[in-house]
Amino acid sequence: MEAIRQVPDIPRIFTAVAEWAACTLYIVMFNRRYNLLKQILISLAFLLGLSSWLMVSKKFPLAFWMPAMALAALMMFIYIFMSLKMKRRDAAYYTIRAFVLAEMMASLEWQLYVFFFYETGTRPFVEKFIFPIIIYAAILIIIYFVEKDRLPSDMELNISVKEFITAFITGIIIFGVSNISFVYSNTPFSVQYPMDVLYTRTLTDIGGFAILYTHYVICCQSRAWHEIAALKNVLQNQYVQYRMSRESINLINQKYHDLKHQINALRSMDDPDKKNEYLDQMENSIKTYEAQYKTGNVVLDTIFTSKALYCQKHSILFKCVVEGSLLDFVDVMDLSSIFGNALDNAIEYEKRIPDKEKRLVRVTVCRQKGFVLSKFENYYEGGELKMRDGLPETTKPDVAYHGYGLKSIKTTAEHYGGTATVNVANEWFILNVLLPLR
């Protein structure tokens, strides 16, 4: 087996710079782990490390070139994962994309250099150093503006195992096809002419990066569709809960009035005082099931009554001061989503508090200039909140399938031109939903 050597290969230092620059591009676009100065030092260290490794591996036999590049890819992963607040699988996925991008940058620049300057060689410094910087910078700027609008809003792609495996296999195939003629000249897939080696590498890398970018777009769309479906499911579930609560409360109220009539009938009978006392106790015991919330909005009346009964069962003090008529302009499903999700989150947290005396949920709905403010408060002892995209991170282990309650509230508020904000103050978790009055 004989390597094709008539055309000089890409200088290893250029490949190292391309790999470092591709990683740095994604690091710039996402949330860094460290401050700017520390990140610059880390970046310089990895640039030195990648360059040193590729220069040292140049002395290895040609058959070891691909394993050497695999180790370089591992260094790229460490660089990205160390620099970003990102899950390991997501970091590995962006490493694959950065590696193929670096291959494309290096091969495209070298092909242009060979075509325009290799035979002339009149200004070696400009041709060999300034020219690669210009080409690399142009490619990186284009990729930055193409991809910046595709970034996930919470800076997490949450790539699945299946999606990662697909990208990994695709990356291996792209790298293998683009470099097979450089390593081996007598395979069924090798080209025989020197310049064709450059053409094959460049075109394969460009096509490969396009394939991976398409895969990335599909992953982003899949993530968006999943989130929309989850939000719709949350909304629908809240509406179903509202309908069920309404029916249950109507039934309870009917039963309450029936029992009152029965009690009145029993009172008219000639019975001793003890029987009257028993009847008084019976009446008091069923009073808790009467729908006592009259906010001026039947939807809120139903939700509050249902949640109050649940709070009573779990020793949670529930208080509300609500002018429900202010929210008459809000659709029934949207109102169910906002108040149902907010109260569910608050009640679920209060249930976990060991001291039942501290279990408290408060709701306030009032006019605030040209807006209606819905404030949800519950006792909180979890310390500082970890925020992401304006909302607290879920404390549940399966983050891919939780946290949609607050997202649904925020999405619904924004639909009405409003906002939803969360903060913690003096051991109170506070959710404010501000909607413009109509």
Side-chain angles (χ1 to χ4, degrees):
M1 293 183 289
E2 181 181 9
I4 298 175
R5 285 293 195 180
Q6 290 99 323
V7 175
D9 186 38
I10 305 170
R12 296 294 180 91
I13 187 65
F14 289 2
T15 301
V17 171
E19 292 173 349
W20 171 83
C23 292
T24 303
L25 171 69
Y26 290 112
I27 291 171
V28 167
M29 289 195 290
F30 286 91
N31 294 327
R32 297 194 312 270
R33 223 180 262 275
Y34 307 107
N35 60 43
L36 182 59
L37 178 59
K38 191 170 184 178
Q39 184 59 53
I40 290 174
L41 295 176
I42 292 173
S43 298
L44 293 176
F46 272 93
L47 174 60
L48 179 62
L50 277 168
S51 302
S52 301
W53 168 246
L54 290 184
M55 295 302 292
V56 168
S57 63
K58 185 178 180 180
K59 301 176 183 179
F60 296 171
L62 195 57
F64 289 94
W65 181 69
M66 286 192 177
M69 293 300 292
L71 185 55
L74 178 60
M75 296 174 67
M76 293 171 68
F77 165 74
I78 296 173
Y79 177 33
I80 291 177
F81 184 65
M82 177 183 293
S83 301
L84 296 178
K85 298 176 182 178
M86 185 177 286
K87 295 178 182 177
R88 189 177 291 105
R89 193 186 302 151
D90 282 2
Y93 177 78
Y94 283 108
T95 300
I96 295 169
R97 298 193 61 227
F99 185 79
V100 174
L101 172 60
E103 288 287 297
M104 182 187 75
M105 290 167 55
S107 60
L108 178 60
E109 184 280 326
W110 191 244
Q111 181 170 330
L112 293 174
Y113 168 77
V114 170
F115 184 82
F116 288 110
F117 302 114
Y118 180 63
E119 296 297 334
T120 58
T122 53
R123 300 171 64 191
F125 178 79
V126 173
E127 297 163 5
K128 289 185 178 180
F129 297 101
I130 303 300
F131 184 71
I133 292 174
I134 294 173
I135 298 299
Y136 286 2
I139 294 174
L140 291 172
I141 290 171
I142 291 172
I143 299 301
Y144 175 81
F145 283 103
V146 167
E147 295 205 13
K148 71 171 186 175
D149 293 332
R150 289 276 179 189
L151 297 178
S153 59
D154 57 1
M155 293 299 173
E156 284 194 8
L157 187 57
N158 288 323
I159 199 78
S160 68
V161 174
K162 183 178 179 181
E163 290 167 337
F164 174 76
I165 292 174
T166 301
F168 181 75
I169 294 174
T170 303
I172 290 177
I173 293 173
I174 293 167
F175 180 71
V177 172
S178 66
N179 290 281
I180 190 170
S181 297
F182 169 70
V183 181
Y184 302 115
S185 61
N186 60 345
T187 72
F189 304 100
S190 302
V191 296
Q192 302 301 320
Y193 299 99
M195 284 303 297
D196 288 348
V197 175
L198 295 181
Y199 299 152
T200 301
R201 292 174 75 172
T202 303
L203 294 176
T204 301
D205 290 334
I206 292 174
F209 182 78
I211 291 171
L212 284 177
Y213 178 73
T214 302
H215 181 266
Y216 172 68
V217 171
I218 292 172
C219 290
C220 290
Q221 290 177 342
S222 175
R223 181 181 184 275
W225 291 335
H226 172 77
E227 185 165 328
I228 290 171
L231 290 175
K232 285 183 177 179
N233 185 56
V234 169
L235 183 63
Q236 185 64 35
N237 287 341
Q238 287 297 335
Y239 181 67
V240 170
Q241 286 185 32
Y242 159 73
R243 293 291 300 272
M244 293 175 63
S245 297
R246 185 67 187 172
E247 293 172 2
S248 299
I249 290 167
N250 287 337
L251 184 62
I252 290 172
N253 286 335
Q254 181 180 350
K255 187 66 175 176
Y256 169 77
H257 289 292
D258 290 343
L259 286 172
K260 282 204 300 185
H261 291 302
Q262 293 172 12
I263 291 171
N264 289 333
L266 288 172
R267 285 187 185 278
S268 64
M269 299 174 63
D270 295 331
D271 296 311
D273 293 339
K274 191 171 183 179
K275 183 176 181 180
N276 285 330
E277 182 181 350
Y278 173 77
L279 291 173
D280 289 338
Q281 292 176 357
M282 181 179 177
E283 184 176 16
N284 290 332
S285 68
I286 64 173
K287 275 186 177 181
T288 56
Y289 295 99
E290 182 180 18
Q292 301 175 9
Y293 291 95
K294 305 295 181 182
T295 66
N297 185 294
V298 294
V299 178
L300 295 183
D301 292 345
T302 302
I303 294 172
F304 289 156
T305 301
S306 173
K307 302 304 180 185
L309 292 173
Y310 189 84
C311 286
Q312 187 180 68
K313 180 180 178 181
H314 292 87
S315 303
I316 299 171
L317 182 60
F318 180 76
K319 294 182 177 181
C320 69
V321 179
V322 174
E323 191 177 348
S325 59
L326 295 174
L327 293 169
D328 286 343
F329 66 92
V330 181
D331 181 77
V332 173
M333 289 189 67
D334 293 335
L335 205 56
S336 301
S337 174
I338 293 173
F339 281 80
N341 282 308
L343 290 174
D344 282 348
N345 287 342
I347 292 169
E348 182 179 353
Y349 182 83
E350 297 304 297
K351 285 167 57 181
R352 301 202 301 260
I353 296 177
D355 188 353
K356 294 182 180 181
E357 296 296 324
K358 295 182 178 180
R359 296 179 180 179
L360 176 60
V361 176
R362 298 189 305 212
V363 183
T364 305
V365 177
C366 60
R367 185 191 299 268
Q368 195 172 81
K369 296 184 179 180
F371 296 84
V372 54
L373 172 65
S374 301
K375 178 181 286 188
F376 305 88
E377 302 171 282
N378 63 277
Y379 177 76
Y380 179 78
E381 54 184 20
E384 185 178 355
L385 284 177
K386 293 183 179 180
M387 305 294 289
R388 176 170 296 163
D389 194 30
L391 295 176
E393 294 182 354
T394 179
T395 56
K396 298 176 182 178
D398 192 354
V399 297
Y401 295 96
H402 292 290
Y404 287 105
L406 286 174
K407 288 183 181 179
S408 178
I409 294 171
K410 184 178 180 182
T411 301
T412 304
E414 291 173 350
H415 173 72
Y416 286 88
T419 59
T421 58
V422 171
N423 69 292
V424 171
N426 299 322
E427 296 186 324
W428 284 97
F429 182 96
I430 304 170
L431 166 63
N432 289 318
V433 180
L434 198 64
L435 304 179
L437 278 169
R438 297 185 184 179

